[in-house]
Amino acid sequence: FEALAILDPSSFYDIQTLGGIYMQMGELEKSMVFLNRALELQPLDGLTRLNKAKLLFLLNQKKEALELIRQLTLSKEAEIANEAM
């Protein structure tokens, strides 16, 4: 996915996925870079915002994480809202 993100820096899917992979690998700073890039491309994407909230908790940025979770509980995407609760 790193190569794909380099080849097509406007590919939301590749950038979002790379952010999630880095989070799973414990490379939290790299994850934040790619999740933020994905959110620049699609600011309202629920899954990316949910992953960012999880990442913020892992980075001990609880206030920002809780605010994002609060917003996500109001999502029209039932799956995202339920996951945020």
Side-chain angles (χ1 to χ4, degrees):
F1 278 96
E2 288 175 345
L4 293 172
I6 290 169
L7 289 172
D8 186 2
S10 65
S11 172
F12 170 76
Y13 175 79
D14 295 337
I15 292 168
Q16 173 203 43
T17 301
L18 188 54
I21 289 170
Y22 278 133
M23 184 168 52
Q24 291 297 318
M25 293 173 56
E27 296 191 40
L28 305 183
E29 298 301 324
K30 284 184 178 180
S31 177
M32 184 64 79
V33 168
F34 284 96
L35 291 178
N36 283 335
R37 279 181 53 194
L39 288 169
E40 287 174 11
L41 296 169
Q42 292 189 23
L44 300 178
D45 182 72
L47 182 58
T48 306
R49 294 173 76 211
L50 187 60
N51 277 337
K52 183 174 179 176
K54 291 175 184 179
L55 180 59
L56 288 168
F57 275 118
L58 291 172
L59 292 168
N60 206 29
Q61 296 178 19
K62 294 176 184 171
K63 184 177 179 180
E64 192 175 343
L66 289 171
E67 175 57 27
L68 188 50
I69 290 293
R70 185 193 64 74
Q71 294 171 15
L72 289 168
T73 60
L74 304 173
S75 174
K76 293 179 182 175
E77 297 176 70
E79 196 172 309
I80 298 296
N82 289 338
E83 187 72 26
M85 290 183 185

